[in-house]
Amino acid sequence: MHFEDEDIYEAVKHHLPTVNEYVESHGGAIRLLGIDNGKVYIELTGACHGCSMSLMTTKMVVQKKLRELIHPELVVVNVDGTPENALPENYYTQEEPEAEKEVEEVSVWDKMKNIFIKENKDAL
């Protein structure tokens, strides 16, 4: 394949809701992690995370459908915690790093907690 990782990322992101319908019907979801040298890295979440059929879902559902929609040579890897399916160090993504998300979520929680305390100060 002769496409830039950014272009593949955009195409996968665009088609992911269609592919995700099957996974959602089984109580799971697909999270796009990134692209490295044309290889698509995903994470199966929900009921599909850690399922014994996750490899089958990745190859026979996700990869098969994305190959039909984007390119017949596309390779999809489910990052499942095993060394052979690890997310590479340098990959293209549009997501925020996990550390930044965590800090943001905590600060939102703190704001909500402070608002609740202020609004219910007399009752507490």
Side-chain angles (χ1 to χ4, degrees), residues 72-83:
E73 296 175 15
L74 198 66
V75 175
V76 177
V77 175
N78 176 32
V79 177
D80 60 6
T82 60

Side-chain angles (χ1 to χ4, degrees), residues 5-15 32 92 94:
D5 287 348
E6 182 177 354
D7 296 330
I8 296 171
Y9 188 97
E10 287 296 327
V12 171
K13 189 170 90 172
H14 174 75
H15 290 293
L32 176 58
Y92 178 82
Q94 295 175 352

Side-chain angles (χ1 to χ4, degrees), residues 1-3 7-8 11-12 15 38 40 62-76:
M1 272 191 319
H2 304 311
F3 298 102
D7 296 330
I8 296 171
V12 171
H15 290 293
V40 178
V62 180
Q63 180 173 281
K64 181 180 178 190
K65 190 65 178 172
L66 288 176
R67 281 181 171 183
E68 290 171 11
L69 296 167
I70 299 170
H71 194 280
E73 296 175 15
L74 198 66
V75 175
V76 177

Side-chain angles (χ1 to χ4, degrees), residues 29-63:
I30 304 168
R31 183 171 157 234
L32 176 58
L33 299 176
I35 312 292
D36 184 46
N37 293 319
K39 199 177 275 191
V40 178
Y41 290 87
I42 64 165
E43 178 182 31
L44 294 177
T45 63
C48 295
H49 181 74
C51 173
S52 61
M53 296 300 289
S54 62
L55 178 59
M56 180 79 79
T57 300
T58 301
K59 296 302 177 186
M60 300 305 293
V61 175
V62 180
Q63 180 173 281

